[in-house]
Amino acid sequence: MLTNFKNAYILIVDDTPKNIQLLGTILKNIGYKIIVATNGLQALGILEKIKPDLILLDVMMPELDGYETCKRIKATDNLKNIPIIFLTAKTQPEDIVKGFDLGAVDYIVKPFNSSELAARVKTHLELKFNQDMLQTLLNFQRDMVLMTDGEKVIAANYSFLQFTDSKNIEEFNQKYPNIMTFLDFGTGSDKDKNSSLKLQRLPNDEEFQVKMKTANDITLIFRIKQNIVPEKEVSILSLTDITQLENQKNSLEEKASIDELTKVYNRTKFQQLFKQTIEENKINPRSICLVIFDIDHFKKINDTYGHNKGDEVLVNISQFIKAHIRMSDILCRWGGEEFTLLLVGSNIEDGIKICEKIRMLVEKYPFIEDRPVTMSMGISQYLLTDTLESFVARADNALYRAKKSGRNRTERN
Ligand SMILES: [Mg+2]
């Protein structure tokens, strides 16, 4: 497939008819399709209508010479990737360098050897074909794919350009002189154009998450994978949009941690948060109190007013208490009409005051029209020797005593 370029279009630009004829004959004999122009302006006119696969460009021409023609072609977005080979009688190094600087891929010195000419044309058609294939492959990816030297983007696919609202790579590099200012690793960097920033924190084959904003200011989450090209000092990044996955994960996690009826934390989440609090306490020790409380004679409420009313009381009491505790306090439905409350940063005296305040507020609030709803509470303060079980057991013991002593009260242990 790569050796058959019979369908390739080659534009020959030369002001000498003899050259055109010679070149044309060689190339046509191979099987290429030929288009000709006798000066730079005419070539530019043809390029507005036809996009050849390669251009053979004479340097010395009247009006618009080869260098200027090349410059204009390279400045045109949809033409700049067409390979240009200069045809020149000039063999001075500075002339040759100038041609390459303008973006030519090769030069052929006149008078030319026909087999050398054919070989060079074929090589550059193959290169162009491979590049186009690669770009097509990249564009085929829904993921964003880009190649970078750690600072600048060298190549990118259509998804990437579209996401960054850039016409081409040059435009992207102008907007973001450093790729690191574009990728938000959530490190709180102030996105200044700090040139010392270099993409190096991505070890090969490891995956990272970054947040990026779309042109419409929507933040999306991407998983980045980096592959370093050995000995080339470039790496290829692929960025997969995982925003939806992350949102699903978060909502599932939330679902798994919330009591369905009352919308306060469930027992599993409470245990997790307790562990976390104890870990944090090793670094930053504070007083912690645990309260276990339940609704007095809850069975009677269910029996008298029905289970729906009972559920309604549970929901309303949970939300009422949640509204009267601090942000740092952790409320959980332990089971049935039983709740736990973790008070972080409160000693037992403060904890009792909090319990009494809540208990009295609940007693006064009309959860049921014709009778007050009361609660019994047991509280214990965390000891370094405590496990969650022993901590809960002591508070539970205090709750038992509160019940025994007539309910609607707080006991400590
Ligand atoms: Mg000439």
Side-chain angles (χ1 to χ4, degrees), residues 115-227:
S115 49
E116 187 194 342
L117 174 91
R120 296 222 180 159
V121 165
K122 185 174 168 238
T123 299
H124 289 290
L125 283 174
E126 266 178 8
L127 267 172
K128 174 66 169 40
F129 184 81
N130 285 340
Q131 273 168 11
D132 288 351
M133 282 287 284
L134 186 64
Q135 191 65 44
T136 307
L137 269 173
L138 287 179
N139 288 345
F140 191 66
Q141 301 283 317
R142 270 190 60 215
D143 287 352
M144 291 194 260
V145 182
L146 65 99
M147 189 187 274
T148 173
D149 62 4
E151 282 182 37
K152 294 243 174 289
V153 171
I154 302 162
N157 68 349
Y158 180 67
S159 294
F160 180 80
L161 293 175
Q162 195 184 33
F163 180 83
T164 60
D165 199 23
S166 311
K167 265 198 295 205
N168 49 46
I169 293 160
E170 289 78 15
E171 193 184 303
F172 175 83
N173 283 330
Q174 254 168 28
K175 278 195 279 189
Y176 301 96
N178 188 321
I179 183 79
M180 291 302 289
T181 61
F182 176 70
L183 304 172
D184 178 5
F185 284 86
T187 50
S189 73
D190 46 9
K191 296 217 164 204
D192 55 5
K193 297 189 169 59
N194 185 350
S195 58
S196 69
L197 277 170
K198 214 166 178 217
L199 183 80
Q200 50 196 191
R201 55 179 99 179
L202 300 179
N204 219 1
D205 286 333
E206 263 190 51
E207 293 186 351
F208 286 80
Q209 274 188 23
V210 290
K211 283 181 184 170
M212 288 195 289
K213 277 188 176 170
T214 63
N216 323 326
D217 223 28
I218 298 162
T219 302
L220 298 177
I221 306 163
F222 286 88
R223 186 168 54 213
I224 292 195
K225 208 172 164 189
Q226 176 174 248
N227 270 292

Side-chain angles (χ1 to χ4, degrees), residues 11-17 19-20 23 37-40 43 55-62 64-70 73 84-90 106-110 112:
L11 173 63
I12 303 169
V13 191
D14 200 308
D15 61 325
T16 311
N19 285 343
I20 290 184
L23 283 166
T38 52
N39 62 62
I55 301 169
L56 291 171
L57 187 58
D58 182 25
V59 174
M60 301 278 278
M61 291 182 294
L64 206 61
D65 70 9
Y67 293 138
E68 188 56 33
T69 309
C70 179
I73 294 169
I84 295 176
I85 300 177
F86 275 123
L87 302 168
T88 178
K90 295 180 163 190
D106 209 345
Y107 69 96
I108 293 171
V109 180
K110 291 194 260 191
F112 36 73

Side-chain angles (χ1 to χ4, degrees), residues 347-358 360 379:
N347 60 26
I348 191 98
E349 277 73 33
D350 294 334
I352 290 170
K353 278 180 204 155
I354 293 169
C355 288
E356 283 297 284
K357 188 189 98 180
I358 294 169
M360 288 189 278
I379 182 168

Side-chain angles (χ1 to χ4, degrees), residues 96-115:
I96 292 159
V97 168
K98 190 179 177 185
F100 282 118
D101 280 349
L102 288 171
V105 292
D106 209 345
Y107 69 96
I108 293 171
V109 180
K110 291 194 260 191
F112 36 73
N113 172 295
S114 61
S115 49

Side-chain angles (χ1 to χ4, degrees), residues 280-402:
E280 284 164 13
N281 214 51
K282 286 176 186 165
I283 302 157
N284 175 26
R286 289 159 301 175
S287 306
I288 301 169
C289 283
L290 176 72
V291 186
I292 296 191
F293 59 95
D294 72 4
I295 300 169
D296 294 327
H297 302 298
F298 188 70
K299 194 179 173 296
K300 211 185 259 174
I301 295 174
N302 273 334
D303 291 347
T304 313
Y305 304 93
H307 283 275
N308 284 345
K309 185 68 186 174
D311 282 354
E312 190 190 304
V313 170
L314 286 173
V315 171
N316 291 342
I317 277 198
S318 302
Q319 292 308 314
F320 182 85
I321 294 172
K322 211 175 158 187
H324 286 91
I325 56 177
R326 299 164 299 188
M327 285 287 282
S328 58
D329 298 334
I330 298 162
L331 177 65
C332 150
R333 186 178 178 206
W334 197 247
E337 72 275 26
E338 207 167 35
F339 294 84
T340 50
L341 180 61
L342 197 67
L343 304 170
V344 182
S346 302
N347 60 26
I348 191 98
E349 277 73 33
D350 294 334
I352 290 170
K353 278 180 204 155
I354 293 169
C355 288
E356 283 297 284
K357 188 189 98 180
I358 294 169
R359 189 185 60 77
M360 288 189 278
L361 283 170
V362 167
E363 187 182 12
K364 279 182 207 142
Y365 193 86
F367 291 101
I368 299 172
E369 277 160 37
D370 53 359
R371 51 156 287 185
V373 175
T374 64
M375 303 189 307
S376 299
M377 310 178 99
I379 182 168
S380 60
Q381 186 170 338
Y382 178 71
L383 305 172
L384 283 175
T385 51
D386 267 330
T387 59
L388 178 60
E389 288 71 29
S390 65
F391 197 18
V392 168
R394 286 191 293 115
D396 209 26
N397 201 269
L399 171 60
Y400 178 77
R401 281 194 282 110

